[in-house]
mmCIF file of all heavy atoms in Angstrom:
data_model
loop_
_atom_site.group_PDB
_atom_site.id
_atom_site.type_symbol
_atom_site.label_atom_id
_atom_site.label_comp_id
_atom_site.label_asym_id
_atom_site.label_seq_id
_atom_site.Cartn_x
_atom_site.Cartn_y
_atom_site.Cartn_z
ATOM 1 N N PRO A 31 -2.677 2.510 -17.972
ATOM 2 C CA PRO A 31 -2.831 1.106 -18.371
ATOM 3 C C PRO A 31 -2.348 0.158 -17.287
ATOM 4 O O PRO A 31 -1.745 0.583 -16.315
ATOM 5 C CB PRO A 31 -1.941 1.015 -19.612
ATOM 6 C CG PRO A 31 -0.841 1.994 -19.323
ATOM 7 C CD PRO A 31 -1.508 3.139 -18.589
ATOM 8 N N GLN A 32 -2.568 -1.135 -17.486
ATOM 9 C CA GLN A 32 -2.059 -2.115 -16.540
ATOM 10 C C GLN A 32 -0.557 -2.274 -16.689
ATOM 11 O O GLN A 32 0.134 -2.572 -15.716
ATOM 12 C CB GLN A 32 -2.752 -3.460 -16.748
ATOM 13 C CG GLN A 32 -4.211 -3.470 -16.338
ATOM 14 C CD GLN A 32 -4.814 -4.854 -16.363
ATOM 15 O OE1 GLN A 32 -4.217 -5.782 -16.906
ATOM 16 N NE2 GLN A 32 -5.985 -5.009 -15.798
ATOM 17 N N ALA A 33 -0.060 -2.092 -17.902
ATOM 18 C CA ALA A 33 1.376 -2.192 -18.162
ATOM 19 C C ALA A 33 1.759 -1.154 -19.200
ATOM 20 O O ALA A 33 0.986 -0.849 -20.111
ATOM 21 C CB ALA A 33 1.748 -3.593 -18.630
ATOM 22 N N LEU A 34 2.980 -0.612 -19.053
ATOM 23 C CA LEU A 34 3.470 0.432 -19.941
ATOM 24 C C LEU A 34 4.965 0.228 -20.125
ATOM 25 O O LEU A 34 5.697 0.070 -19.140
ATOM 26 C CB LEU A 34 3.186 1.808 -19.328
ATOM 27 C CG LEU A 34 3.642 3.048 -20.080
ATOM 28 C CD1 LEU A 34 2.943 3.138 -21.431
ATOM 29 C CD2 LEU A 34 3.365 4.288 -19.240
ATOM 30 N N SER A 35 5.408 0.236 -21.379
ATOM 31 C CA SER A 35 6.823 0.059 -21.675
ATOM 32 C C SER A 35 7.266 1.198 -22.577
ATOM 33 O O SER A 35 6.679 1.421 -23.642
ATOM 34 C CB SER A 35 7.054 -1.290 -22.367
ATOM 35 O OG SER A 35 8.419 -1.490 -22.652
ATOM 36 N N ILE A 36 8.281 1.958 -22.140
ATOM 37 C CA ILE A 36 8.759 3.106 -22.915
ATOM 38 C C ILE A 36 10.287 3.113 -22.952
ATOM 39 O O ILE A 36 10.938 2.382 -22.200
ATOM 40 C CB ILE A 36 8.249 4.439 -22.329
ATOM 41 C CG1 ILE A 36 8.766 4.622 -20.906
ATOM 42 C CG2 ILE A 36 6.735 4.513 -22.394
ATOM 43 C CD1 ILE A 36 8.453 5.980 -20.307
ATOM 44 N N GLN A 37 10.835 3.987 -23.788
ATOM 45 C CA GLN A 37 12.281 4.141 -23.868
ATOM 46 C C GLN A 37 12.760 5.142 -22.835
ATOM 47 O O GLN A 37 12.053 6.114 -22.506
ATOM 48 C CB GLN A 37 12.686 4.599 -25.269
ATOM 49 C CG GLN A 37 12.393 3.595 -26.378
ATOM 50 C CD GLN A 37 13.115 2.282 -26.166
ATOM 51 O OE1 GLN A 37 12.497 1.230 -26.048
ATOM 52 N NE2 GLN A 37 14.436 2.345 -26.130
ATOM 53 N N GLU A 38 13.957 4.912 -22.356
ATOM 54 C CA GLU A 38 14.568 5.839 -21.400
ATOM 55 C C GLU A 38 14.585 7.246 -21.983
ATOM 56 O O GLU A 38 14.903 7.441 -23.167
ATOM 57 C CB GLU A 38 15.992 5.376 -21.071
ATOM 58 C CG GLU A 38 16.598 6.038 -19.858
ATOM 59 C CD GLU A 38 17.868 5.322 -19.401
ATOM 60 O OE1 GLU A 38 18.406 4.519 -20.189
ATOM 61 O OE2 GLU A 38 18.300 5.557 -18.260
ATOM 62 N N GLY A 39 14.235 8.213 -21.173
ATOM 63 C CA GLY A 39 14.196 9.600 -21.622
ATOM 64 C C GLY A 39 12.806 10.070 -22.015
ATOM 65 O O GLY A 39 12.537 11.277 -22.023
ATOM 66 N N GLU A 40 11.927 9.132 -22.334
ATOM 67 C CA GLU A 40 10.546 9.505 -22.677
ATOM 68 C C GLU A 40 9.751 9.789 -21.402
ATOM 69 O O GLU A 40 10.166 9.469 -20.296
ATOM 70 C CB GLU A 40 9.874 8.383 -23.478
ATOM 71 C CG GLU A 40 10.485 8.151 -24.847
ATOM 72 C CD GLU A 40 9.776 7.043 -25.608
ATOM 73 O OE1 GLU A 40 9.130 6.204 -24.959
ATOM 74 O OE2 GLU A 40 9.887 7.018 -26.838
ATOM 75 N N ASN A 41 8.580 10.390 -21.596
ATOM 76 C CA ASN A 41 7.678 10.645 -20.478
ATOM 77 C C ASN A 41 6.697 9.487 -20.328
ATOM 78 O O ASN A 41 6.303 8.862 -21.322
ATOM 79 C CB ASN A 41 6.893 11.936 -20.697
ATOM 80 C CG ASN A 41 7.781 13.160 -20.734
ATOM 81 O OD1 ASN A 41 8.913 13.136 -20.237
ATOM 82 N ND2 ASN A 41 7.271 14.232 -21.319
ATOM 83 N N ALA A 42 6.302 9.224 -19.097
ATOM 84 C CA ALA A 42 5.332 8.152 -18.813
ATOM 85 C C ALA A 42 4.130 8.752 -18.102
ATOM 86 O O ALA A 42 4.290 9.510 -17.141
ATOM 87 C CB ALA A 42 5.964 7.069 -17.947
ATOM 88 N N THR A 43 2.950 8.394 -18.559
ATOM 89 C CA THR A 43 1.716 8.863 -17.925
ATOM 90 C C THR A 43 0.863 7.681 -17.518
ATOM 91 O O THR A 43 0.613 6.781 -18.319
ATOM 92 C CB THR A 43 0.907 9.758 -18.887
ATOM 93 O OG1 THR A 43 1.694 10.903 -19.243
ATOM 94 C CG2 THR A 43 -0.367 10.237 -18.204
ATOM 95 N N MET A 44 0.451 7.697 -16.251
ATOM 96 C CA MET A 44 -0.429 6.665 -15.718
ATOM 97 C C MET A 44 -1.679 7.332 -15.164
ATOM 98 O O MET A 44 -1.596 8.439 -14.633
ATOM 99 C CB MET A 44 0.264 5.899 -14.592
ATOM 100 C CG MET A 44 1.353 4.984 -15.090
ATOM 101 S SD MET A 44 2.567 4.607 -13.832
ATOM 102 C CE MET A 44 3.690 5.974 -14.044
ATOM 103 N N ASN A 45 -2.798 6.670 -15.297
ATOM 104 C CA ASN A 45 -4.059 7.237 -14.866
ATOM 105 C C ASN A 45 -4.708 6.387 -13.784
ATOM 106 O O ASN A 45 -4.497 5.175 -13.711
ATOM 107 C CB ASN A 45 -5.015 7.348 -16.057
ATOM 108 C CG ASN A 45 -4.436 8.177 -17.168
ATOM 109 O OD1 ASN A 45 -4.192 9.368 -17.017
ATOM 110 N ND2 ASN A 45 -4.170 7.539 -18.315
ATOM 111 N N CYS A 46 -5.506 7.043 -12.966
ATOM 112 C CA CYS A 46 -6.216 6.370 -11.888
ATOM 113 C C CYS A 46 -7.637 6.902 -11.861
ATOM 114 O O CYS A 46 -7.847 8.121 -11.861
ATOM 115 C CB CYS A 46 -5.517 6.654 -10.557
ATOM 116 S SG CYS A 46 -6.423 6.119 -9.088
ATOM 117 N N SER A 47 -8.606 6.014 -11.860
ATOM 118 C CA SER A 47 -9.999 6.425 -11.718
ATOM 119 C C SER A 47 -10.551 5.812 -10.442
ATOM 120 O O SER A 47 -10.140 4.715 -10.034
ATOM 121 C CB SER A 47 -10.819 5.966 -12.928
ATOM 122 O OG SER A 47 -10.784 4.555 -13.060
ATOM 123 N N TYR A 48 -11.462 6.543 -9.805
ATOM 124 C CA TYR A 48 -12.033 6.061 -8.561
ATOM 125 C C TYR A 48 -13.531 6.325 -8.545
ATOM 126 O O TYR A 48 -14.051 6.996 -9.445
ATOM 127 C CB TYR A 48 -11.347 6.717 -7.354
ATOM 128 C CG TYR A 48 -11.367 8.221 -7.344
ATOM 129 C CD1 TYR A 48 -12.384 8.923 -6.719
ATOM 130 C CD2 TYR A 48 -10.346 8.952 -7.964
ATOM 131 C CE1 TYR A 48 -12.402 10.310 -6.706
ATOM 132 C CE2 TYR A 48 -10.349 10.334 -7.958
ATOM 133 C CZ TYR A 48 -11.379 11.008 -7.328
ATOM 134 O OH TYR A 48 -11.390 12.389 -7.331
ATOM 135 N N LYS A 49 -14.223 5.774 -7.555
ATOM 136 C CA LYS A 49 -15.682 5.743 -7.628
ATOM 137 C C LYS A 49 -16.388 6.716 -6.703
ATOM 138 O O LYS A 49 -17.455 7.224 -7.042
ATOM 139 C CB LYS A 49 -16.167 4.316 -7.339
ATOM 140 C CG LYS A 49 -15.664 3.288 -8.338
ATOM 141 C CD LYS A 49 -16.044 1.872 -7.933
ATOM 142 C CE LYS A 49 -15.464 0.855 -8.914
ATOM 143 N NZ LYS A 49 -15.698 -0.537 -8.467
ATOM 144 N N THR A 50 -15.839 6.954 -5.523
ATOM 145 C CA THR A 50 -16.553 7.793 -4.557
ATOM 146 C C THR A 50 -15.740 9.031 -4.204
ATOM 147 O O THR A 50 -14.532 9.091 -4.465
ATOM 148 C CB THR A 50 -16.862 7.001 -3.281
ATOM 149 O OG1 THR A 50 -15.631 6.606 -2.678
ATOM 150 C CG2 THR A 50 -17.679 5.756 -3.591
ATOM 151 N N SER A 51 -16.369 9.998 -3.591
ATOM 152 C CA SER A 51 -15.670 11.232 -3.197
ATOM 153 C C SER A 51 -14.555 10.905 -2.215
ATOM 154 O O SER A 51 -14.687 10.013 -1.380
ATOM 155 C CB SER A 51 -16.662 12.201 -2.556
ATOM 156 O OG SER A 51 -17.633 12.586 -3.483
ATOM 157 N N ILE A 52 -13.468 11.650 -2.328
ATOM 158 C CA ILE A 52 -12.286 11.353 -1.542
ATOM 159 C C ILE A 52 -11.820 12.548 -0.728
ATOM 160 O O ILE A 52 -12.145 13.694 -1.039
ATOM 161 C CB ILE A 52 -11.113 10.887 -2.440
ATOM 162 C CG1 ILE A 52 -10.755 11.975 -3.464
ATOM 163 C CG2 ILE A 52 -11.445 9.566 -3.126
ATOM 164 C CD1 ILE A 52 -9.489 11.698 -4.246
ATOM 165 N N ASN A 53 -11.040 12.263 0.327
ATOM 166 C CA ASN A 53 -10.338 13.304 1.069
ATOM 167 C C ASN A 53 -8.992 13.599 0.413
ATOM 168 O O ASN A 53 -8.579 14.743 0.294
ATOM 169 C CB ASN A 53 -10.104 12.877 2.520
ATOM 170 C CG ASN A 53 -11.384 12.812 3.310
ATOM 171 O OD1 ASN A 53 -12.215 13.719 3.242
ATOM 172 N ND2 ASN A 53 -11.574 11.737 4.061
ATOM 173 N N ASN A 54 -8.286 12.530 0.043
ATOM 174 C CA ASN A 54 -7.015 12.691 -0.637
ATOM 175 C C ASN A 54 -6.727 11.470 -1.498
ATOM 176 O O ASN A 54 -7.392 10.434 -1.383
ATOM 177 C CB ASN A 54 -5.862 12.953 0.348
ATOM 178 C CG ASN A 54 -5.586 11.767 1.260
ATOM 179 O OD1 ASN A 54 -5.251 10.681 0.805
ATOM 180 N ND2 ASN A 54 -5.728 11.963 2.569
ATOM 181 N N LEU A 55 -5.754 11.611 -2.361
ATOM 182 C CA LEU A 55 -5.314 10.523 -3.222
ATOM 183 C C LEU A 55 -3.793 10.491 -3.162
ATOM 184 O O LEU A 55 -3.144 11.536 -3.199
ATOM 185 C CB LEU A 55 -5.796 10.740 -4.665
ATOM 186 C CG LEU A 55 -5.484 9.643 -5.703
ATOM 187 C CD1 LEU A 55 -6.621 9.540 -6.705
ATOM 188 C CD2 LEU A 55 -4.170 9.869 -6.390
ATOM 189 N N GLN A 56 -3.247 9.303 -3.025
ATOM 190 C CA GLN A 56 -1.801 9.155 -2.908
ATOM 191 C C GLN A 56 -1.288 8.235 -4.012
ATOM 192 O O GLN A 56 -1.979 7.332 -4.446
ATOM 193 C CB GLN A 56 -1.432 8.572 -1.529
ATOM 194 C CG GLN A 56 -1.941 9.399 -0.358
ATOM 195 C CD GLN A 56 -1.526 8.854 0.987
ATOM 196 O OE1 GLN A 56 -0.435 8.315 1.137
ATOM 197 N NE2 GLN A 56 -2.398 8.978 1.983
ATOM 198 N N TRP A 57 -0.066 8.485 -4.428
ATOM 199 C CA TRP A 57 0.626 7.607 -5.378
ATOM 200 C C TRP A 57 1.818 6.966 -4.677
ATOM 201 O O TRP A 57 2.568 7.642 -3.964
ATOM 202 C CB TRP A 57 1.091 8.389 -6.599
ATOM 203 C CG TRP A 57 -0.009 8.717 -7.563
ATOM 204 C CD1 TRP A 57 -0.775 9.848 -7.589
ATOM 205 C CD2 TRP A 57 -0.462 7.912 -8.653
ATOM 206 N NE1 TRP A 57 -1.679 9.796 -8.623
ATOM 207 C CE2 TRP A 57 -1.506 8.617 -9.298
ATOM 208 C CE3 TRP A 57 -0.087 6.661 -9.165
ATOM 209 C CZ2 TRP A 57 -2.174 8.116 -10.413
ATOM 210 C CZ3 TRP A 57 -0.754 6.167 -10.270
ATOM 211 C CH2 TRP A 57 -1.789 6.887 -10.884
ATOM 212 N N TYR A 58 1.979 5.664 -4.902
ATOM 213 C CA TYR A 58 3.081 4.892 -4.348
ATOM 214 C C TYR A 58 3.798 4.148 -5.475
ATOM 215 O O TYR A 58 3.194 3.802 -6.491
ATOM 216 C CB TYR A 58 2.576 3.863 -3.324
ATOM 217 C CG TYR A 58 2.141 4.451 -2.010
ATOM 218 C CD1 TYR A 58 0.886 5.045 -1.866
ATOM 219 C CD2 TYR A 58 2.980 4.416 -0.896
ATOM 220 C CE1 TYR A 58 0.489 5.590 -0.659
ATOM 221 C CE2 TYR A 58 2.586 4.948 0.322
ATOM 222 C CZ TYR A 58 1.344 5.534 0.434
ATOM 223 O OH TYR A 58 0.951 6.064 1.635
ATOM 224 N N ARG A 59 5.074 3.887 -5.254
ATOM 225 C CA ARG A 59 5.889 3.101 -6.185
ATOM 226 C C ARG A 59 6.381 1.857 -5.462
ATOM 227 O O ARG A 59 6.737 1.910 -4.279
ATOM 228 C CB ARG A 59 7.076 3.917 -6.681
ATOM 229 C CG ARG A 59 8.023 3.164 -7.616
ATOM 230 C CD ARG A 59 9.163 4.062 -8.056
ATOM 231 N NE ARG A 59 9.984 4.438 -6.936
ATOM 232 C CZ ARG A 59 10.656 5.586 -6.865
ATOM 233 N NH1 ARG A 59 10.574 6.464 -7.856
ATOM 234 N NH2 ARG A 59 11.408 5.850 -5.823
ATOM 235 N N GLN A 60 6.420 0.743 -6.180
ATOM 236 C CA GLN A 60 6.893 -0.496 -5.588
ATOM 237 C C GLN A 60 7.854 -1.183 -6.546
ATOM 238 O O GLN A 60 7.510 -1.488 -7.676
ATOM 239 C CB GLN A 60 5.729 -1.438 -5.271
ATOM 240 C CG GLN A 60 6.140 -2.705 -4.538
ATOM 241 C CD GLN A 60 4.931 -3.539 -4.153
ATOM 242 O OE1 GLN A 60 3.998 -3.713 -4.923
ATOM 243 N NE2 GLN A 60 4.922 -4.063 -2.927
ATOM 244 N N ASN A 61 9.074 -1.397 -6.088
ATOM 245 C CA ASN A 61 10.006 -2.226 -6.841
ATOM 246 C C ASN A 61 10.668 -3.194 -5.880
ATOM 247 O O ASN A 61 10.536 -3.077 -4.667
ATOM 248 C CB ASN A 61 11.033 -1.381 -7.609
ATOM 249 C CG ASN A 61 11.840 -0.486 -6.696
ATOM 250 O OD1 ASN A 61 12.104 -0.806 -5.554
ATOM 251 N ND2 ASN A 61 12.226 0.666 -7.207
ATOM 252 N N SER A 62 11.364 -4.147 -6.455
ATOM 253 C CA SER A 62 11.901 -5.231 -5.634
ATOM 254 C C SER A 62 12.985 -4.728 -4.695
ATOM 255 O O SER A 62 13.208 -5.289 -3.639
ATOM 256 C CB SER A 62 12.446 -6.350 -6.517
ATOM 257 O OG SER A 62 13.424 -5.843 -7.396
ATOM 258 N N GLY A 63 13.637 -3.653 -5.063
ATOM 259 C CA GLY A 63 14.747 -3.186 -4.250
ATOM 260 C C GLY A 63 14.330 -2.391 -3.028
ATOM 261 O O GLY A 63 14.881 -2.563 -1.956
ATOM 262 N N ARG A 64 13.320 -1.535 -3.187
ATOM 263 C CA ARG A 64 12.982 -0.611 -2.102
ATOM 264 C C ARG A 64 11.584 -0.805 -1.548
ATOM 265 O O ARG A 64 11.131 -0.049 -0.728
ATOM 266 C CB ARG A 64 13.141 0.827 -2.578
ATOM 267 C CG ARG A 64 14.576 1.238 -2.811
ATOM 268 C CD ARG A 64 14.687 2.753 -2.855
ATOM 269 N NE ARG A 64 14.251 3.340 -1.579
ATOM 270 C CZ ARG A 64 13.948 4.621 -1.430
ATOM 271 N NH1 ARG A 64 14.005 5.434 -2.453
ATOM 272 N NH2 ARG A 64 13.574 5.084 -0.249
ATOM 273 N N GLY A 65 10.870 -1.815 -2.007
ATOM 274 C CA GLY A 65 9.536 -2.028 -1.458
ATOM 275 C C GLY A 65 8.572 -0.941 -1.899
ATOM 276 O O GLY A 65 8.742 -0.302 -2.928
ATOM 277 N N LEU A 66 7.565 -0.680 -1.092
ATOM 278 C CA LEU A 66 6.509 0.279 -1.411
ATOM 279 C C LEU A 66 6.881 1.632 -0.819
ATOM 280 O O LEU A 66 7.072 1.760 0.396
ATOM 281 C CB LEU A 66 5.190 -0.225 -0.837
ATOM 282 C CG LEU A 66 3.885 0.321 -1.407
ATOM 283 C CD1 LEU A 66 3.746 -0.045 -2.871
ATOM 284 C CD2 LEU A 66 2.708 -0.208 -0.622
ATOM 285 N N VAL A 67 6.966 2.640 -1.674
ATOM 286 C CA VAL A 67 7.418 3.964 -1.251
ATOM 287 C C VAL A 67 6.402 5.024 -1.660
ATOM 288 O O VAL A 67 5.930 5.032 -2.804
ATOM 289 C CB VAL A 67 8.796 4.294 -1.877
ATOM 290 C CG1 VAL A 67 9.215 5.718 -1.533
ATOM 291 C CG2 VAL A 67 9.842 3.305 -1.401
ATOM 292 N N HIS A 68 6.098 5.926 -0.742
ATOM 293 C CA HIS A 68 5.170 7.014 -1.009
ATOM 294 C C HIS A 68 5.805 8.029 -1.957
ATOM 295 O O HIS A 68 6.980 8.391 -1.797
ATOM 296 C CB HIS A 68 4.802 7.692 0.302
ATOM 297 C CG HIS A 68 3.871 8.847 0.152
ATOM 298 N ND1 HIS A 68 4.308 10.151 0.010
ATOM 299 C CD2 HIS A 68 2.522 8.904 0.117
ATOM 300 C CE1 HIS A 68 3.269 10.944 -0.109
ATOM 301 N NE2 HIS A 68 2.180 10.227 -0.040
ATOM 302 N N LEU A 69 5.026 8.491 -2.945
ATOM 303 C CA LEU A 69 5.527 9.479 -3.900
ATOM 304 C C LEU A 69 4.902 10.851 -3.652
ATOM 305 O O LEU A 69 5.604 11.837 -3.436
ATOM 306 C CB LEU A 69 5.235 9.033 -5.336
ATOM 307 C CG LEU A 69 5.919 7.750 -5.808
ATOM 308 C CD1 LEU A 69 5.465 7.392 -7.211
ATOM 309 C CD2 LEU A 69 7.438 7.891 -5.732
ATOM 310 N N ILE A 70 3.600 10.934 -3.749
ATOM 311 C CA ILE A 70 2.906 12.221 -3.650
ATOM 312 C C ILE A 70 1.527 12.005 -3.034
ATOM 313 O O ILE A 70 0.869 10.995 -3.301
ATOM 314 C CB ILE A 70 2.742 12.885 -5.036
ATOM 315 C CG1 ILE A 70 4.076 13.425 -5.541
ATOM 316 C CG2 ILE A 70 1.740 14.016 -5.000
ATOM 317 C CD1 ILE A 70 3.950 14.187 -6.857
ATOM 318 N N LEU A 71 1.095 12.960 -2.230
ATOM 319 C CA LEU A 71 -0.271 13.015 -1.715
ATOM 320 C C LEU A 71 -0.903 14.286 -2.253
ATOM 321 O O LEU A 71 -0.312 15.366 -2.151
ATOM 322 C CB LEU A 71 -0.276 13.032 -0.178
ATOM 323 C CG LEU A 71 -1.624 13.057 0.545
ATOM 324 C CD1 LEU A 71 -1.479 12.416 1.931
ATOM 325 C CD2 LEU A 71 -2.177 14.471 0.698
ATOM 326 N N ILE A 72 -2.090 14.168 -2.822
ATOM 327 C CA ILE A 72 -2.810 15.335 -3.326
ATOM 328 C C ILE A 72 -4.188 15.353 -2.668
ATOM 329 O O ILE A 72 -4.885 14.334 -2.612
ATOM 330 C CB ILE A 72 -2.891 15.337 -4.874
ATOM 331 C CG1 ILE A 72 -3.517 16.637 -5.378
ATOM 332 C CG2 ILE A 72 -3.627 14.108 -5.412
ATOM 333 C CD1 ILE A 72 -3.304 16.883 -6.869
#
Side-chain angles (χ1 to χ4, degrees):
Chain A
Q32 290 188 347
L34 179 62
S35 181
I36 62 173
Q37 295 300 120
E38 194 167 15
E40 294 181 338
N41 296 339
T43 299
M44 288 157 273
N45 302 296
C46 170
S47 60
Y48 56 92
K49 299 174 183 174
T50 62
S51 296
I52 59 171
N53 291 314
N54 65 61
L55 183 146
Q56 303 182 35
W57 284 92
Y58 287 80
R59 178 180 64 210
Q60 185 175 43
N61 58 31
S62 57
R64 290 198 61 196
L66 200 63
V67 175
H68 179 268
L69 296 176
I70 287 184
L71 181 153
I72 186 165

